Amino acid sequence: MMIKIGVIGPDDSIQRINHVATHFDNIELMNFPYHGVNEIEEILKKNRGLVDQWFFSGQSPFYYALEKGWITEKEGSFPPLHGSSFFGALLEAQMKEQTLLNKISIDTISKEEIETAVQFHSFDQLEISTYPYEGYRSADELVDYHRSLYEKGEIETAITCIQSVQKRLTEAGIPCYRVVPTNLSIRMVLQYLLERAQSRKYQKSQIAIVGIEVIYSTQTLDESHFSYKMKHQELDLKRNLLDIAQKINGSMVQLGDGLFFVYTTRGELDLHEKESVFTTLTQEVKAHTDLDIRVGLGFGVTVLEAEHHVRLAFQHARKHESSIVISVNEDKTVTEILPSSESITYTLNNWGNEWKEVFKEASVSSAIVSKILSLSRHYDKEEITSQDLSRWLKSTERNGRRILTEMERIGIVEISGEEQSGGRGRPRKLYRFQLK
């Protein structure tokens, strides 16, 4: 499997990365040199579909694209700079300036990394001014930092990680040298991007099953189970589902009255933003057929595993009286799409062996606790009450009190105070999570 990696950076950085990449037989590099970070947007827009991952030459261009929203963290990476990279630039400066340089400024690399490297090599006589940062800083900001120190006589030379900064300082008559990633650092990032791309390709080929179930009320079933109206509604629903199946290159099967499965792949669903296309489907079905449906998405390596996850999704969906979309991944991660089109995600099996033993004896499941944790983060609630739980879980406040009491007993929450209920009743207890 050949993996295509797009390389974004200055010409000299791209040449270095290409040299290191010759050690990889299953990587094909596509080079995109630039002269300014403002060119990155056009590069990404035009070539996004041609590569599997993006290799940025450094921290600054990567975080610039990330802050602008042009890529996500899962789409690329950059080689980190270490103390050894700094000493390579320092040695170059010493040789070219033909003098011993003791006062130096450096940007980007963390202060801790520099201090560790200096202490390891016992270069205590060096006076180093550092300008570390996370994310992106403009070239103007870095140029001003180095220039200011040089004009005050506090440094003899500047060391930067940015090509444009080096060029501008050199043109201003300030000795400046550039830190570049080591071959080992480049090689490690190439290996990381290769494995990530292979994993994503593997995920795209996974089986995906979309389960659609009509929500029939008891009255509807009693009055119209065999009515022509119900059959016409199902025919209208089938038309909607056939359109969806065609869009995601899937195959539709009806398993019973009001129950349909569409078989496809994860890659096809990713093209259509997975859950969002089915949120739209629930709205369209309601408008065209006056039917409420629940949608369960199941993913797996095999059809059997994917079908098992669809049925798990339905178990969670049936706790809701209205239309909802729920997906279950191969790692048992559950995602619920709320009516506001926002989503909450929780997992069914990440508690570890110690907690698994605790939940065996508890009257509350780990899945419910995981969901409550996710909902508390979603609503930014550090303290919760039984009323919060009754609203989130669509149950009674009495059931909310029972769950919180059990969660307190097994050590997941602790009582942190009380709040007035707004009526004449007793104050409600406030609970705070004590999990680390």
Side-chain angles (χ1 to χ4, degrees):
M1 181 191 299
M2 187 63 70
I3 299 298
K4 293 184 178 180
I5 295 179
V7 184
I8 297 178
D11 284 308
D12 59 343
S13 295
I14 287 179
Q15 289 175 14
R16 190 183 184 94
I17 293 164
N18 275 256
H19 172 71
V20 177
T22 56
H23 297 283
F24 294 86
D25 296 329
N26 48 353
I27 287 180
E28 178 184 340
L29 295 188
M30 299 181 68
N31 299 322
F32 302 98
Y34 70 81
H35 300 286
V37 290
N38 56 317
E39 300 172 34
I40 294 176
E41 181 180 15
E42 193 67 18
I43 291 171
L44 292 170
K45 276 185 178 178
K46 285 185 175 180
N47 303 284
R48 186 178 297 277
L50 302 178
V51 303
D52 299 304
Q53 287 284 299
W54 292 100
F55 189 120
F56 288 79
S57 62
Q59 169 183 321
S60 193
F62 174 74
Y63 280 106
Y64 184 76
L66 197 63
E67 288 175 13
K68 293 291 185 180
W70 299 334
I71 62 162
T72 65
E73 286 195 34
K74 294 181 179 180
E75 292 180 89
S77 189
F78 64 93
L81 298 170
H82 303 293
S84 55
S85 304
F86 160 68
F87 282 121
L90 180 59
L91 179 60
E92 180 189 0
Q94 304 276 19
M95 294 179 68
K96 287 190 176 180
E97 298 297 325
Q98 292 292 301
T99 185
L100 190 62
L101 301 169
N102 293 317
K103 297 178 180 180
I104 304 153
S105 61
I106 183 167
D107 58 49
T108 310
I109 303 178
S110 73
K111 186 176 181 179
E112 293 77 13
E113 182 73 29
I114 295 296
E115 288 177 348
T116 301
V118 169
Q119 289 171 6
F120 180 78
H121 294 283
S122 301
F123 290 160
D124 299 329
Q125 70 273 24
L126 287 175
E127 296 179 23
I128 303 175
S129 301
T130 60
Y131 189 84
Y133 61 90
E134 294 182 1
Y136 169 76
R137 291 290 185 278
S138 68
D140 291 338
E141 191 174 334
L142 300 179
V143 168
D144 289 343
Y145 167 72
H146 292 291
R147 181 191 287 129
S148 174
L149 291 176
Y150 187 77
E151 290 173 350
K152 292 176 186 176
E154 296 180 14
I155 62 168
E156 299 165 311
T157 189
I159 294 179
T160 182
C161 302
I162 312 298
Q163 185 191 54
S164 60
V165 174
Q166 181 193 22
K167 183 179 178 182
R168 288 170 58 180
L169 289 173
T170 303
E171 289 172 350
I174 300 172
C176 183
Y177 297 88
R178 183 160 151 239
V179 175
V180 295
T182 62
N183 286 2
L184 177 60
S185 181
I186 293 171
R187 190 166 184 168
M188 288 176 66
V189 173
L190 283 170
Q191 182 66 40
Y192 170 69
L193 293 177
L194 171 65
E195 291 173 0
R196 181 197 270 176
Q198 288 174 334
S199 175
R200 293 188 71 177
K201 282 182 177 287
Y202 166 74
Q203 276 195 327
K204 286 179 182 178
S205 64
Q206 279 186 329
I207 301 296
I209 301 179
V210 184
I212 301 96
E213 186 176 52
V214 177
I215 304 173
Y216 291 120
S217 66
T218 305
Q219 182 180 358
T220 303
L221 289 172
D222 290 343
E223 293 179 357
S224 57
H225 193 291
F226 298 104
S227 72
Y228 285 109
K229 179 183 177 182
M230 181 177 173
K231 299 302 179 186
H232 280 296
Q233 285 177 320
E234 278 206 2
L235 285 172
D236 291 335
L237 172 61
K238 282 184 184 179
R239 292 190 188 95
N240 280 276
L241 297 185
L242 282 171
D243 288 340
I244 287 287
Q246 184 178 10
K247 186 182 292 185
I248 61 176
N249 289 318
S251 173
M252 189 185 78
V253 177
Q254 183 169 4
L255 302 179
D257 288 334
L259 179 62
F260 305 84
F261 274 11
V262 177
Y263 295 82
T264 184
T265 64
R266 191 184 200 121
E268 289 294 334
L269 290 186
D270 285 343
L271 284 174
H272 301 280
E273 298 182 9
K274 249 195 287 192
E275 295 94 347
S276 62
V277 68
F278 297 107
T279 303
T280 305
L281 172 66
T282 60
Q283 297 165 353
E284 291 178 351
V285 168
K286 181 66 176 177
H288 295 159
T289 69
D290 199 31
L291 290 174
D292 289 312
I293 60 171
R294 56 176 69 95
V295 178
L297 306 180
F299 302 94
V301 178
T302 64
V303 174
L304 183 64
E305 184 182 37
E307 188 171 324
H308 173 64
H309 292 156
V310 168
R311 299 194 185 281
L312 274 179
F314 276 148
Q315 285 180 22
H316 290 276
R318 286 173 187 139
K319 298 172 185 175
H320 299 261
E321 296 178 358
S322 57
S323 295
I324 192 168
V325 180
I326 295 181
S327 70
V328 178
N329 286 337
E330 68 282 358
D331 60 356
K332 300 291 193 296
T333 299
V334 181
T335 301
E336 296 188 9
I337 308 301
L338 304 175
S340 60
S341 292
E342 296 178 328
S343 63
I344 62 163
T345 301
Y346 54 95
T347 184
L348 302 180
N349 58 0
N350 71 334
W351 286 90
N353 293 330
E354 184 179 342
W355 278 106
K356 282 181 181 178
E357 294 301 316
V358 172
F359 280 115
K360 282 182 181 179
E361 306 297 327
S363 60
V364 61
S365 70
S366 60
I368 287 293
V369 175
S370 294
K371 183 174 181 179
I372 293 168
L373 279 164
S374 297
L375 286 163
S376 67
R377 287 193 293 267
H378 175 79
Y379 291 109
D380 197 21
K381 297 271 288 185
E382 293 185 1
E383 295 178 314
I384 58 175
T385 67
S386 56
Q387 188 180 47
D388 293 325
L389 260 61
S390 67
R391 184 173 66 254
W392 295 346
L393 303 178
K394 304 294 188 295
S395 66
T396 63
E397 194 167 339
R398 180 181 179 183
N399 187 50
R401 285 195 297 270
R402 180 190 66 78
I403 292 173
L404 284 170
T405 300
E406 184 64 2
M407 286 170 63
E408 181 195 4
R409 185 187 72 80
I410 62 178
I412 293 174
V413 296
E414 60 182 356
I415 297 174
S416 58
E418 292 182 339
E419 71 171 10
Q420 293 299 320
S421 60
R424 294 183 179 180
R426 290 181 298 174
R428 293 191 185 93
K429 291 179 181 178
L430 288 169
Y431 293 84
R432 182 187 296 272
F433 288 100
Q434 55 181 358
L435 289 173
K436 293 184 181 180

